[in-house]
Structures are given as structure tokens and as C-alpha cells.
Amino acid sequence: LLASERKNRAFISALPDLFLTMDREGRYIDIKTSNPAILIGDEKDLLGHSIAEVGLPPDLVTKMLDAISRALSGQDVVVIEYDLDVIEGRRHFEARIVRLAGEADLVLFIVRDTSAQHDMQKQLARSLREKETLLREIHHRVKNNMQIISSLLNLQSSFIEDEEIENILKDSQSRVKSMALVHEKLYQADDLAQINAAEYIRSLTTSMFHNYSVHPGVELILDVGD
């Protein structure tokens, strides 16, 4: 037993985690950690008291009691995340809660400080939002530039009397519009990696009907997937 105890203590001291044994009411039964700075206070002030009595936020108390209930009801591993003010300051934690084998009303909280990973994820998410905003702005500006080119071609065609040259300018204008439409759809889309094909083709053909003054009796029927 002594040898086993020494091994367990060596194992726990080598880990950065906080090990909390609690009963059904959330009372601290045992506390083991190699880093007391991630506790909310002195170990002696916590033992024997419930999480509702030691100053934890009410919403966190509710979340922890719910996790204890789920673990005792048979769920293998319950995982929760939360922010908490501890001795080190404001930190982000991930806790895994399991029922202790052979104990009817005791659970083990394995709590890990994941502040660094959490901050990195927030930075990545912020960076991704910034890049998406930049891409949308690029598509928007490209679309505007192409619309200017299309307008210039349209303006130039109004001075052309040769029908063949006018048709060439009109074809060029339509090609520019079809590319501008791609950037417009990308700018408006929720996903910058793809365009709704049916919506794009509908907009494109409507524009072509308008540009080429298609006879009113001609009907457009689309059968195309998204």
C-alpha cells in the first residue's frame, strides 16, 4: 500500500493537472495537485466545504453539479469548460469528470489549465475573421473594377456605328460581367470557397437576356443543381 501510494503521488506530482474528489453535493473530499496556484484558495479552506460555499459563480456551481449528476448516473466521461479567477488570475479550464470505481457517490474531477490553448484558438478565430473580411473586400473591389470596365465598353459601343464592332464590344462586355458576377456572388456568399451554381446561372442568363434584347416570347427554363 505504501509503495502504491508513493507511485500515485509521484504520478500526480509529474502532472500539471488538479485532481478533485467530490461527493454528490459537490463537497471537496480530497485535493491533489502539483500546482496550488490553480486553486481558488488554500486547500485547508476548501476541504469539507461544497462548491456552493467557497465563492464559485452560481452558473459554474450549476454546471459542475450537473456534471457530477451525469457522471454518477453512468456517463463514462463528462467534459466541461469554464473561466475562473484563481490564485494565478483569470484562467480557462477543462475538467473531465468520472465516477470513482467502487464508490456510489464520489466523482473525480481532473482539471487542466487550458488557457494557452484557449487564447491561441481565439487568436486563430480572430485572424480567420480578419482574412475573410479581407477576401470579401478584395472580391468586392474586383467586382467594382470589372463593372467600371463593363460600363466603359458600354459607353464606347454607343459611339460605334459598325454593327460587327458593336457586337464584339457587347460580347466583351458580357464576358466581363460574367466574371464580375463571380466576385459579386463570392462577396455575398457565406462560404468564400464556393458559389451556388443555380443562383449564378440564373443571374448570368438574366443579364444576357437583357444585354442581347432577347425576344419577349423566348422563355428561360433552368434545370440545374445548387
Side-chain angles (χ1 to χ4, degrees):
L1 287 174
L2 288 174
S4 177
E5 176 70 12
R6 284 195 297 270
K7 287 180 181 178
N8 288 336
R9 288 187 178 278
F11 178 73
I12 290 173
S13 65
L15 295 173
D17 301 329
L18 169 64
F19 297 86
L20 304 173
T21 303
M22 293 185 181
D23 62 12
R24 187 180 294 274
E25 286 73 36
R27 188 176 291 104
Y28 292 94
I29 305 300
D30 188 31
I31 300 173
K32 287 185 173 64
T33 180
S34 61
N35 181 18
I38 63 174
L39 290 170
I40 60 172
D42 292 335
E43 181 179 333
K44 58 181 174 51
D45 296 329
L46 299 175
L47 288 175
H49 296 280
S50 72
I51 53 178
E53 298 172 336
V54 296
L56 291 181
D59 57 337
L60 179 55
V61 171
T62 301
K63 180 185 287 189
M64 293 176 72
L65 289 176
D66 175 68
I68 291 173
S69 177
R70 284 188 285 154
L72 291 176
S73 66
Q75 186 170 336
D76 290 339
V77 181
V78 181
V79 181
I80 61 173
E81 293 187 39
Y82 55 89
D83 294 312
L84 185 63
D85 291 318
V86 295
I87 297 174
E88 283 189 341
R90 189 73 171 177
R91 310 295 291 174
H92 185 83
F93 295 97
E94 178 187 89
R96 294 177 176 268
I97 303 95
V98 294
R99 179 178 178 177
L100 282 177
E103 300 288 347
D105 293 315
L106 294 182
V107 296
L108 177 65
F109 271 71
I110 306 173
V111 184
R112 174 162 292 185
D113 184 348
T114 56
S115 301
Q117 298 93 315
H118 183 67
D119 291 343
M120 185 178 297
Q121 288 176 351
K122 289 197 296 185
Q123 290 176 4
L124 288 173
R126 183 167 56 250
S127 177
L128 180 59
R129 288 194 300 270
E130 291 172 353
K131 286 179 172 59
E132 286 181 347
T133 301
L134 178 60
L135 281 173
R136 290 185 189 280
E137 180 63 21
I138 289 173
H139 286 305
H140 185 57
R141 293 194 178 204
V142 170
K143 184 263 295 183
N144 287 346
N145 289 337
M146 287 187 169
Q147 284 184 333
I148 291 173
I149 295 172
S150 176
S151 297
L152 290 173
L153 289 172
N154 184 57
L155 180 64
Q156 186 64 42
S157 64
S158 63
F159 296 100
I160 301 299
E161 297 181 358
D162 189 308
E163 184 177 352
E164 183 178 355
I165 297 177
E166 184 180 358
N167 288 335
I168 291 174
L169 290 177
K170 185 177 292 186
D171 285 342
S172 298
Q173 183 184 6
S174 295
R175 289 187 174 91
V176 171
K177 278 188 174 181
S178 69
M179 291 186 289
L181 188 58
V182 171
H183 291 280
E184 181 180 5
K185 296 301 180 184
L186 283 170
Y187 171 71
Q188 296 172 347
D190 294 330
D191 185 355
L192 292 173
Q194 55 187 3
I195 298 175
N196 184 300
E199 184 181 330
Y200 171 74
I201 293 174
R202 185 176 295 108
S203 299
L204 182 61
T205 50
T206 300
S207 176
M208 290 172 64
F209 267 49
H210 174 74
N211 289 343
Y212 289 95
S213 300
V214 176
H215 192 277
V218 178
E219 182 182 1
L220 174 63
I221 300 175
L222 289 180
D223 182 13
V224 57
D226 291 341

